[in-house]
């Protein structure tokens, strides 16, 4: 299912409520999670979300699945649908998520693909809401690689009326489909969406400065070329943060390569909200799971 602006607003509202007091709304529900790539936060937050809401999550890595011996993703999805109420998958190729969603008989959650990372953005919007109260009219600056997190973030921010400036080197712009979507939503919601290659200009007046790894999972063979393209200009350090608003927050989805895309003094500094971001994955995903699995949830 694709989330609408109203559903994202609802998820934030419900997540704030569940953060104060968790409810066992998912009794006996089962989440099957396929992980083709490693994960710390996503796996833990979904497992704990299911546990705290009375359900159960089953973690399946490639070693656990017949997928690694050639069973198709479609047959895997059909099989998991027989046992589970919802399927989550972290994949290398975004097409695998599409195939799973088309073949499954239960709802499917993208737990990160090479193109998108929507669950990250739900937690991030919750964090921004907690810290800045009103989302509309804020300015978020993305510094670095126009990657999966960036693609989902520009879409999510434009849907919520947050102004977005992306600063990235040529060749590392966000995905075309995400850019077109963000531009369309920005027009509808009367906010700005722009892409530049000048990080110093981009962070001016920013309420939020966001970065992520320059070498994402799956990009390892491009490491040298990438580091050359991003360093030193696209590193978020004290000097760059000084150009943003005095009360700007620093965000990073984690895991971070300290000393590469961000310096220790920034990620460990007063403006950093990365641990709150990590925690909010749990609360936002609880709300997402409820929206998907609990009948009449909006009436509760
Ligand atoms: N931010 C995030 O998705 O982290 P993991 O890769 O540890 O799940
Ligand atoms: N862009 C990173 C995000 C990790 C959560 C990656 O895909 O590796």
């Amino acid at each position: 299912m694709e989330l609408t602006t109203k559903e994202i607003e609802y998820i934030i509202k419900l997540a704030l409520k569940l953060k104060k007091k968790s409810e066992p709304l998912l009794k006996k529900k089962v989440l099957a999670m396929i992980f083709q790539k490693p994960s710390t936060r996503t796996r833990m937050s979904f497992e704990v979300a299911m546990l705290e809401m009375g359900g159960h999550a089953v973690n399946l890595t490639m070693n656990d699945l017949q997928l690694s011996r050639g069973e198709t993703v479609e047959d895997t999805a059909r099989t998991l649908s027989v046992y589970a109420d919802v399927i989550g998958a972290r994949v290398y190729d975004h097409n695998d998520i599409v195939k799973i969603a088309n073949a499954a008989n239960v709802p499917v959650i993208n737990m990160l693909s090479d193109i998108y990372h929507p669950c990250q953005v739900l937690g991030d919007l919750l964090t921004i809401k907690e810290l800045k109260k009103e989302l509309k009219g804020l300015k978020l600056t993305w510094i670095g690689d126009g990657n999966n997190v960036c693609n989902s973030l520009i879409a999510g921010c434009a849907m919520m009326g947050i102004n977005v400036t992306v600063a990235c080197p040529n060749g590392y712009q966000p995905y075309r489909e995400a850019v077109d979507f963000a531009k369309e939503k920005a027009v509808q919601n009367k906010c700005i969406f722009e892409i530049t290659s000048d990080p110093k200009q981009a962070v001016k007046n920013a309420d939020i400065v966001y970065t992520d790894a320059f070498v994402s999972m799956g990009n390892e063979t491009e490491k040298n070329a990438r580091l050359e393209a991003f360093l030193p200009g696209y590193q978020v350090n004290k000097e760059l943060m000084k150009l943003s608003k005095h009360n700007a927050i620093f965000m990073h989805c984690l895991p971070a390569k300290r000393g590469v895309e961000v310096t220790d003094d920034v990620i460990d500094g007063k403006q950093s909200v990365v641990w709150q971001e990590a925690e909010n994955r749990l609360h936002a995903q609880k709300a997402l799971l409820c929206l998907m699995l609990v009948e009449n949830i909006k009436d509760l």
Side-chain angles (χ1 to χ4, degrees):
M1 103 187 199
E2 304 261 330
L3 294 175
T4 62
T5 302
K6 284 223 162 335
E7 283 167 337
I8 296 175
E9 281 168 357
Y10 179 76
I11 286 171
I12 295 172
K13 209 170 101 187
L14 181 60
L16 287 167
K17 211 166 139 187
L18 293 171
K19 188 168 179 174
K20 276 198 197 122
K21 190 174 180 291
S22 192
E23 304 275 354
L25 296 168
L26 300 177
K27 272 188 198 147
K28 299 252 170 83
K29 298 284 183 198
V30 174
L31 163 68
M33 304 191 288
I34 303 172
F35 280 100
Q36 292 181 4
K37 296 176 180 178
S39 168
T40 300
R41 282 145 286 267
T42 305
R43 178 185 166 181
M44 271 303 290
S45 52
F46 270 107
E47 277 207 29
V48 173
M50 289 305 288
L51 175 78
E52 289 186 355
M53 300 193 91
H56 184 68
V58 182
N59 183 46
L60 300 159
T61 66
M62 286 307 273
N63 287 339
D64 305 310
L65 288 164
Q66 296 287 10
L67 196 56
S68 62
R69 291 182 57 253
E71 185 166 23
T72 66
V73 283
E74 288 90 345
D75 285 351
T76 306
R78 287 179 192 116
T79 305
L80 295 179
S81 302
V82 173
Y83 308 116
D85 300 283
V86 52
I87 298 172
R90 168 168 288 198
V91 299
Y92 280 96
D93 181 352
H94 187 76
N95 285 325
D96 279 355
I97 288 281
V98 177
K99 286 183 194 167
I100 294 168
N102 288 337
N105 296 311
V106 295
V108 172
I109 300 172
N110 177 356
M111 294 187 172
L112 181 148
S113 70
D114 54 341
I115 309 183
Y116 293 111
H117 194 7
C119 295
Q120 179 66 46
V121 174
L122 294 178
D124 291 344
L125 290 172
L126 172 61
T127 304
I128 298 169
K129 176 80 183 169
E130 282 182 322
L131 293 165
K132 299 284 180 189
K133 310 299 175 216
E134 188 62 50
L135 299 182
K136 245 184 201 349
L138 291 172
K139 176 180 174 181
L140 179 144
T141 299
W142 175 276
I143 305 283
D145 189 16
N147 63 16
N148 44 10
V149 176
C150 178
N151 293 329
S152 289
L153 194 64
I154 61 177
C157 286
M159 284 170 88
M160 305 309 287
I162 299 176
N163 301 296
V164 178
T165 302
V166 175
C168 54
N170 276 337
Y172 295 97
Q173 280 94 354
Y175 188 55
R176 169 57 49 200
E177 183 187 87
V179 169
D180 290 345
F181 180 87
K183 278 184 183 163
E184 188 192 314
K185 291 291 161 192
V187 171
Q188 282 171 16
N189 294 319
K190 300 187 177 51
C191 58
I192 292 164
F193 174 77
E194 57 183 9
I195 302 181
T196 161
S197 55
D198 183 348
K200 288 187 182 150
Q201 193 61 36
V203 291
K204 278 198 185 143
N205 238 358
D207 298 285
I208 304 139
V209 179
Y210 202 127
T211 192
D212 183 16
F214 295 150
V215 185
S216 282
M217 292 180 278
N219 295 147
E220 289 79 6
T221 55
E222 301 168 17
K223 184 176 172 188
N224 292 343
R226 284 176 164 269
L227 294 184
E228 206 168 298
F230 291 109
L231 291 172
Y234 291 85
Q235 182 185 70
V236 179
N237 49 38
K238 253 188 176 161
E239 288 66 45
L240 197 66
M241 282 303 290
K242 262 189 207 144
L243 302 176
S244 62
K245 279 193 182 161
H246 73 280
N247 62 347
I249 53 172
F250 169 75
M251 300 183 80
H252 191 309
C253 59
L254 305 176
K257 280 270 184 238
R258 288 166 173 263
V260 183
E261 73 270 11
V262 60
T263 51
D264 283 333
D265 50 10
V266 170
I267 197 168
D268 296 330
K270 279 202 185 108
Q271 287 166 287
S272 172
V273 298
V274 298
W275 308 117
Q276 187 172 342
E277 256 186 288
E279 183 191 331
N280 279 338
R281 293 290 304 276
L282 170 67
H283 309 295
Q285 288 159 194
K286 276 184 180 173
L288 171 69
L289 288 162
C290 287
L291 188 68
M292 290 175 131
L293 298 177
V294 181
E295 261 180 65
N296 303 324
I297 182 71
K298 290 191 180 166
D299 303 333
L300 290 182

